[in-house]
Amino acid sequence: MKPQIRILSYSILFFLYLISTPIILKIGEKLKTDPFVTLGFGYAVFNIIYAFIALKWKPLLNVIYAVAIASLALFLALKFTNLHLLFKYDPYQVKTAILANAVFAIIFWEIVYQVKIRMRK
């Protein structure tokens, strides 16, 4: 995949994370579930779709990587917000968590893509 296409797909994934977070949280409120579980499941669904479009590995590997990246990115985003680095600009740390989750997910997808490229050679 060309770098321009990867950057475009990562940008789409980033904005999808940003736009869909309030929608996923509203769905979680209606279902009366834990917000972190709902977000993790929603992000995993987006990652599964992305994995089948971008990676094109075997279906089981796509699902495993998508779920692992969604859960790891959400976990690291929560740990990042606990650092309170941007507390002055985002007192409730909500925007920080959403942005950190999207950035971590994109970083992990690039790592997985690079591993896929290296394994092919």
Short mmCIF file of all heavy atoms in Angstrom, two decimals, residues 17 36 39 43 69-84 93-105 108:
data_model
loop_
_atom_site.label_atom_id
_atom_site.label_comp_id
_atom_site.label_asym_id
_atom_site.label_seq_id
_atom_site.Cartn_x
_atom_site.Cartn_y
_atom_site.Cartn_z
N TYR A 17 -12.99 7.64 14.61
CA TYR A 17 -12.91 7.53 16.06
C TYR A 17 -13.49 8.78 16.73
O TYR A 17 -14.27 8.68 17.68
CB TYR A 17 -11.47 7.36 16.52
CG TYR A 17 -10.98 5.95 16.59
CD1 TYR A 17 -10.02 5.46 15.72
CD2 TYR A 17 -11.45 5.09 17.56
CE1 TYR A 17 -9.55 4.17 15.80
CE2 TYR A 17 -11.00 3.80 17.67
CZ TYR A 17 -10.05 3.34 16.77
OH TYR A 17 -9.60 2.07 16.86
N PHE A 36 -16.74 1.96 29.09
CA PHE A 36 -15.48 1.45 28.56
C PHE A 36 -15.68 0.17 27.76
O PHE A 36 -15.02 -0.05 26.75
CB PHE A 36 -14.48 1.22 29.69
CG PHE A 36 -14.15 2.48 30.43
CD1 PHE A 36 -14.47 2.61 31.77
CD2 PHE A 36 -13.55 3.54 29.78
CE1 PHE A 36 -14.19 3.77 32.45
CE2 PHE A 36 -13.26 4.70 30.45
CZ PHE A 36 -13.58 4.84 31.78
N LEU A 39 -17.30 1.38 24.46
CA LEU A 39 -16.30 1.99 23.59
C LEU A 39 -15.35 0.94 23.03
O LEU A 39 -15.01 0.98 21.84
CB LEU A 39 -15.51 3.05 24.35
CG LEU A 39 -16.18 4.39 24.53
CD1 LEU A 39 -15.33 5.29 25.42
CD2 LEU A 39 -16.44 5.06 23.21
N TYR A 43 -15.01 0.38 19.08
CA TYR A 43 -13.71 0.54 18.42
C TYR A 43 -13.24 -0.77 17.80
O TYR A 43 -12.61 -0.76 16.75
CB TYR A 43 -12.67 1.06 19.40
CG TYR A 43 -12.92 2.47 19.88
CD1 TYR A 43 -12.45 2.89 21.11
CD2 TYR A 43 -13.62 3.38 19.12
CE1 TYR A 43 -12.67 4.17 21.56
CE2 TYR A 43 -13.85 4.66 19.56
CZ TYR A 43 -13.37 5.06 20.79
OH TYR A 43 -13.58 6.33 21.23
N ILE A 69 -5.81 -4.45 19.22
CA ILE A 69 -5.47 -3.02 19.07
C ILE A 69 -6.52 -2.15 19.73
O ILE A 69 -6.18 -1.16 20.40
CB ILE A 69 -5.30 -2.68 17.58
CG1 ILE A 69 -3.99 -3.26 17.07
CG2 ILE A 69 -5.33 -1.16 17.35
CD1 ILE A 69 -3.75 -3.11 15.59
N ALA A 70 -7.79 -2.49 19.59
CA ALA A 70 -8.84 -1.69 20.24
C ALA A 70 -8.69 -1.70 21.75
O ALA A 70 -8.76 -0.65 22.40
CB ALA A 70 -10.21 -2.21 19.83
N SER A 71 -8.47 -2.87 22.32
CA SER A 71 -8.36 -2.94 23.79
C SER A 71 -7.07 -2.30 24.29
O SER A 71 -7.08 -1.59 25.30
CB SER A 71 -8.47 -4.38 24.26
OG SER A 71 -7.46 -5.16 23.68
N LEU A 72 -5.97 -2.53 23.60
CA LEU A 72 -4.70 -1.94 24.03
C LEU A 72 -4.71 -0.43 23.89
O LEU A 72 -4.23 0.29 24.78
CB LEU A 72 -3.55 -2.55 23.24
CG LEU A 72 -2.14 -2.17 23.66
CD1 LEU A 72 -1.88 -2.59 25.10
CD2 LEU A 72 -1.12 -2.80 22.74
N ALA A 73 -5.27 0.09 22.81
CA ALA A 73 -5.33 1.54 22.61
C ALA A 73 -6.22 2.20 23.66
O ALA A 73 -5.88 3.26 24.19
CB ALA A 73 -5.82 1.87 21.21
N LEU A 74 -7.34 1.58 23.98
CA LEU A 74 -8.23 2.13 25.01
C LEU A 74 -7.57 2.10 26.37
O LEU A 74 -7.64 3.07 27.13
CB LEU A 74 -9.55 1.37 25.03
CG LEU A 74 -10.66 1.95 25.90
CD1 LEU A 74 -11.01 3.35 25.46
CD2 LEU A 74 -11.88 1.05 25.85
N PHE A 75 -6.89 1.01 26.69
CA PHE A 75 -6.19 0.91 27.96
C PHE A 75 -5.09 1.97 28.08
O PHE A 75 -4.99 2.67 29.10
CB PHE A 75 -5.58 -0.49 28.11
CG PHE A 75 -4.71 -0.66 29.31
CD1 PHE A 75 -5.26 -0.79 30.57
CD2 PHE A 75 -3.33 -0.68 29.19
CE1 PHE A 75 -4.46 -0.94 31.69
CE2 PHE A 75 -2.51 -0.82 30.29
CZ PHE A 75 -3.08 -0.95 31.55
N LEU A 76 -4.29 2.13 27.04
CA LEU A 76 -3.21 3.13 27.07
C LEU A 76 -3.75 4.55 27.08
O LEU A 76 -3.15 5.44 27.69
CB LEU A 76 -2.26 2.92 25.91
CG LEU A 76 -1.37 1.69 26.00
CD1 LEU A 76 -0.53 1.56 24.74
CD2 LEU A 76 -0.48 1.76 27.23
N ALA A 77 -4.88 4.78 26.43
CA ALA A 77 -5.48 6.12 26.45
C ALA A 77 -5.93 6.48 27.87
O ALA A 77 -5.74 7.61 28.32
CB ALA A 77 -6.66 6.19 25.49
N LEU A 78 -6.49 5.51 28.58
CA LEU A 78 -6.90 5.76 29.96
C LEU A 78 -5.69 6.00 30.86
O LEU A 78 -5.71 6.87 31.74
CB LEU A 78 -7.73 4.61 30.49
CG LEU A 78 -9.09 4.45 29.83
CD1 LEU A 78 -9.76 3.18 30.32
CD2 LEU A 78 -9.95 5.65 30.10
N LYS A 79 -4.62 5.25 30.64
CA LYS A 79 -3.40 5.47 31.42
C LYS A 79 -2.78 6.83 31.08
O LYS A 79 -2.23 7.50 31.95
CB LYS A 79 -2.38 4.35 31.16
CG LYS A 79 -2.80 3.02 31.69
CD LYS A 79 -2.98 3.10 33.19
CE LYS A 79 -3.44 1.78 33.76
NZ LYS A 79 -3.75 1.87 35.19
N PHE A 80 -2.86 7.23 29.82
CA PHE A 80 -2.32 8.53 29.40
C PHE A 80 -3.08 9.68 30.06
O PHE A 80 -2.48 10.67 30.47
CB PHE A 80 -2.37 8.65 27.88
CG PHE A 80 -1.78 9.92 27.36
CD1 PHE A 80 -0.41 10.09 27.31
CD2 PHE A 80 -2.60 10.94 26.91
CE1 PHE A 80 0.14 11.26 26.84
CE2 PHE A 80 -2.06 12.11 26.43
CZ PHE A 80 -0.68 12.27 26.39
N THR A 81 -4.40 9.54 30.17
CA THR A 81 -5.18 10.61 30.80
C THR A 81 -4.91 10.68 32.30
O THR A 81 -5.06 11.75 32.89
CB THR A 81 -6.68 10.42 30.57
OG1 THR A 81 -7.07 9.14 31.04
CG2 THR A 81 -7.02 10.58 29.11
N ASN A 82 -4.52 9.58 32.91
CA ASN A 82 -4.18 9.60 34.33
C ASN A 82 -2.92 10.40 34.62
O ASN A 82 -2.66 10.74 35.77
CB ASN A 82 -4.03 8.18 34.87
CG ASN A 82 -5.36 7.49 35.01
OD1 ASN A 82 -6.40 8.12 35.06
ND2 ASN A 82 -5.33 6.16 35.05
N LEU A 83 -2.13 10.68 33.59
CA LEU A 83 -0.93 11.50 33.78
C LEU A 83 -1.26 12.97 33.99
O LEU A 83 -0.43 13.73 34.48
CB LEU A 83 0.00 11.35 32.57
CG LEU A 83 0.58 9.96 32.33
CD1 LEU A 83 1.38 9.96 31.03
CD2 LEU A 83 1.45 9.54 33.49
N HIS A 84 -2.45 13.39 33.59
CA HIS A 84 -2.93 14.78 33.73
C HIS A 84 -1.98 15.78 33.08
O HIS A 84 -1.73 16.85 33.61
CB HIS A 84 -3.15 15.14 35.20
CG HIS A 84 -4.15 14.27 35.88
ND1 HIS A 84 -5.49 14.27 35.56
CD2 HIS A 84 -4.00 13.33 36.84
CE1 HIS A 84 -6.13 13.40 36.31
NE2 HIS A 84 -5.25 12.80 37.10
N GLN A 93 -10.56 15.63 31.01
CA GLN A 93 -9.71 14.64 30.33
C GLN A 93 -10.46 13.78 29.32
O GLN A 93 -9.99 12.71 28.94
CB GLN A 93 -9.01 13.74 31.35
CG GLN A 93 -8.12 14.49 32.33
CD GLN A 93 -6.90 15.07 31.65
OE1 GLN A 93 -6.17 14.36 31.00
NE2 GLN A 93 -6.67 16.35 31.80
N VAL A 94 -11.62 14.23 28.86
CA VAL A 94 -12.40 13.45 27.90
C VAL A 94 -11.79 13.56 26.51
O VAL A 94 -11.56 12.56 25.84
CB VAL A 94 -13.88 13.90 27.89
CG1 VAL A 94 -14.66 13.20 26.80
CG2 VAL A 94 -14.50 13.67 29.25
N LYS A 95 -11.53 14.77 26.08
CA LYS A 95 -10.95 14.98 24.76
C LYS A 95 -9.56 14.35 24.67
O LYS A 95 -9.19 13.78 23.64
CB LYS A 95 -10.86 16.47 24.43
CG LYS A 95 -12.19 17.14 24.28
CD LYS A 95 -12.03 18.62 24.07
CE LYS A 95 -13.36 19.32 24.16
NZ LYS A 95 -13.21 20.77 24.13
N THR A 96 -8.83 14.44 25.74
CA THR A 96 -7.50 13.83 25.78
C THR A 96 -7.58 12.32 25.60
O THR A 96 -6.79 11.73 24.86
CB THR A 96 -6.80 14.17 27.11
OG1 THR A 96 -6.79 15.59 27.29
CG2 THR A 96 -5.39 13.65 27.14
N ALA A 97 -8.53 11.70 26.26
CA ALA A 97 -8.68 10.24 26.15
C ALA A 97 -9.09 9.83 24.74
O ALA A 97 -8.57 8.86 24.19
CB ALA A 97 -9.71 9.74 27.16
N ILE A 98 -10.00 10.59 24.13
CA ILE A 98 -10.46 10.25 22.78
C ILE A 98 -9.32 10.42 21.78
O ILE A 98 -9.08 9.54 20.94
CB ILE A 98 -11.67 11.13 22.39
CG1 ILE A 98 -12.87 10.79 23.27
CG2 ILE A 98 -12.02 10.95 20.93
CD1 ILE A 98 -14.01 11.77 23.16
N LEU A 99 -8.61 11.53 21.86
CA LEU A 99 -7.50 11.76 20.94
C LEU A 99 -6.37 10.75 21.16
O LEU A 99 -5.79 10.24 20.19
CB LEU A 99 -6.97 13.18 21.09
CG LEU A 99 -7.90 14.28 20.57
CD1 LEU A 99 -7.34 15.66 20.92
CD2 LEU A 99 -8.10 14.15 19.09
N ALA A 100 -6.07 10.46 22.41
CA ALA A 100 -5.00 9.50 22.70
C ALA A 100 -5.38 8.11 22.18
O ALA A 100 -4.52 7.40 21.63
CB ALA A 100 -4.73 9.44 24.20
N ASN A 101 -6.63 7.73 22.34
CA ASN A 101 -7.07 6.43 21.83
C ASN A 101 -6.91 6.35 20.33
O ASN A 101 -6.42 5.35 19.81
CB ASN A 101 -8.52 6.18 22.24
CG ASN A 101 -8.97 4.81 21.82
OD1 ASN A 101 -8.21 3.86 21.87
ND2 ASN A 101 -10.21 4.71 21.40
N ALA A 102 -7.31 7.38 19.63
CA ALA A 102 -7.19 7.38 18.17
C ALA A 102 -5.73 7.33 17.73
O ALA A 102 -5.37 6.57 16.83
CB ALA A 102 -7.88 8.61 17.59
N VAL A 103 -4.90 8.10 18.39
CA VAL A 103 -3.47 8.13 18.03
C VAL A 103 -2.81 6.79 18.33
O VAL A 103 -2.04 6.27 17.50
CB VAL A 103 -2.75 9.29 18.75
CG1 VAL A 103 -1.25 9.19 18.60
CG2 VAL A 103 -3.25 10.62 18.21
N PHE A 104 -3.09 6.22 19.49
CA PHE A 104 -2.51 4.91 19.82
C PHE A 104 -2.96 3.84 18.84
O PHE A 104 -2.17 2.99 18.43
CB PHE A 104 -2.86 4.50 21.25
CG PHE A 104 -2.09 5.21 22.31
CD1 PHE A 104 -2.73 5.72 23.43
CD2 PHE A 104 -0.72 5.39 22.21
CE1 PHE A 104 -2.03 6.38 24.41
CE2 PHE A 104 -0.02 6.05 23.19
CZ PHE A 104 -0.66 6.55 24.29
N ALA A 105 -4.23 3.86 18.46
CA ALA A 105 -4.73 2.87 17.52
C ALA A 105 -4.02 2.98 16.17
O ALA A 105 -3.63 1.98 15.57
CB ALA A 105 -6.24 3.02 17.34
N PHE A 108 -0.48 1.62 16.46
CA PHE A 108 -0.47 0.15 16.48
C PHE A 108 -0.80 -0.44 15.11
O PHE A 108 -0.24 -1.45 14.72
CB PHE A 108 -1.43 -0.38 17.54
CG PHE A 108 -0.99 -0.09 18.94
CD1 PHE A 108 -1.91 0.30 19.89
CD2 PHE A 108 0.34 -0.19 19.31
CE1 PHE A 108 -1.51 0.57 21.19
CE2 PHE A 108 0.75 0.09 20.60
CZ PHE A 108 -0.18 0.46 21.53
#
